[in-house]
Amino acid sequence: MNILLVALNAKYIHTNLALRYLREGVRTSYPDVLLKEFSINDHLDRIAGEIYEAKADVVGFSCYIWNLKETVEVIRQLRPVCPNTRFVLGGPEVSFEAEEFLLEHPEIDALVMGEGEKTFLELLKTWQDGRDPSHVQGIAWTKNGKIMVNPAPFSPLSMNELPFPYTEDENFTGRLVYVETTRGCPFNCQYCLSSTFQGVRFLELERFRKTFRQLLKNGARTIKFVDRTFNANKRHALGILDIVREESELHSDAKSIRVHCEMAGDLLDAEWMDYLRNYPRGLVQLEIGVQSTHQPTLKIVSRPQRFEEWRKYIAEMRCLGIPLHLDLIAGLPEENWLNFRMSFNEVYETDPDMLQLGFLKVLKGSGLRLQSSRYGLLFVPDPPYTILETKDLSHNEILQLQRMESILDKYYNSGKFEHALRHGLKLFPTPFDFYHKFAELWHKKDWFSRQWQGKALFDKLWEFLQDVQNTEKREGMDILPWNIIRDALRFDYYMWERPNIIPNYLQDENSLELEKRTDQWKTMQDKIRKDAYWEMIIPEVKKMDRRQWNRNTAIAYFTSDLLQESNRPCWYLFHYQQGKVKAYRYEES
């Protein structure tokens, strides 16, 4: 029997961990099992064509909220021309409401509900032997037109009995690769499927070492743990990170290796911070789900936390050079516009590297799904079941927040507007008000209907800040000195990439006058280039001639010193190399 395992990943760079577990689990009986990965952005006709040409007897799909629609469409294309092929779906998206799903999709032969590493193999053997799969635990299937739902296994799988998912010599260069060292979660969040089962299971440390070593050997450099709460057990988590450090140090490009972990802020403590202080910089990246700081909401979703206590660790983690992502969820019960505004501002003020503004997904099987009517949760009926309205947050308000999310990603999360945002936000009572007003201008101008190139985003921000400045002038309010805002935006413009032309609106009178006086401008450039100081700061300068210097550097005059927060005029040298840029203040000797 020929077996094909298929994943439609969210992006090309992603990999599917679940299918690799299944592949290794069935290989003892089906050594020629194939695995194919696609992206949901690929043409479905091409995906269906490749699956058809594989001539498999059984095709298994890994399903999630982001790929179920496309997966079903592919199967519908294949069913007429593959009448004898059995299509099996597994994953969290088909593990609940299985009977209803099979009634709606008769072209699908079976569903594997919950953990499938053993169940899938049992199902394959049953079909190969021509037997009735009524004894296979944890599946839903059709018998003589009737939907049969077999009960799940009594006990969960031990992680240490699972096969090693990465035994093949695959090329993971440039890919995002997933690993897990725990299953389960100590929390009971009602918006998450982890609340549907209790307890946490742990992988033995040395079993993880074997997997991690293989991944590095195969070129993986960005590795994400899918553990729901990586620091659920401190001793286990520290042991895993010890192995990450030890194995990474064996590679000459250790600085290019990074692991991403999702942690609970409430479980951080002084011991964790002491450990991170001595951890190699850049090796670990953390994501923490704050979700909300509104205590009544946190109580409803069964995720109590003390953000006001553990937020103190955020500033130190940033000083340690640990990239930090914080998450918020809009649309949770009993969090209205003002409550969410407060949550947003409290999290934003911690200055994370990335602030992910997500929207509640009312997942099948989750506690909130079961209580959706109680909290007035209206949501899209199809995956990913995104919230549309609650009794506390109108649909119009959610639309406004969705526009805010887009602006937040374009400006804050891009990391390209650090100085302009810091000074522009001073024109508003809170960060939330800045992003809300900016998003509404985009909506009013219909800018969301187009894809804008990077430099055009500066134009939009300038227009917005000008509008705010003019409004405050008309209302007689105190305003921020305009030259500082212009300097901040121009500084970010130089930090984006080496500019050939600076827009006129980013030039102040002094810098324009200097550029017109070409001789003085060139004299300053030569003076900086020949200064021996730069040989210590930028060793490459010794090998640069004038042409190379001009191509790899830019020099600009500012009316204020943004990095040292001084109103003194100064020059800055920008050095561009291998996609990175550094700024240096020029001190005349």
Side-chain angles (χ1 to χ4, degrees), residues 145-164:
K146 182 180 179 181
I147 306 298
M148 311 295 292
V149 180
N150 299 357
F154 179 74
S155 59
L157 298 172
S158 166
M159 290 201 67
N160 299 307
E161 295 177 0
L162 296 176
F164 289 102

Side-chain angles (χ1 to χ4, degrees), residues 567-583:
N567 291 327
R568 293 174 54 191
C570 62
W571 294 86
Y572 265 93
L573 168 71
F574 299 87
H575 179 222
Y576 306 88
Q577 188 177 38
Q578 297 177 347
K580 297 181 180 180
V581 56
K582 290 186 178 181

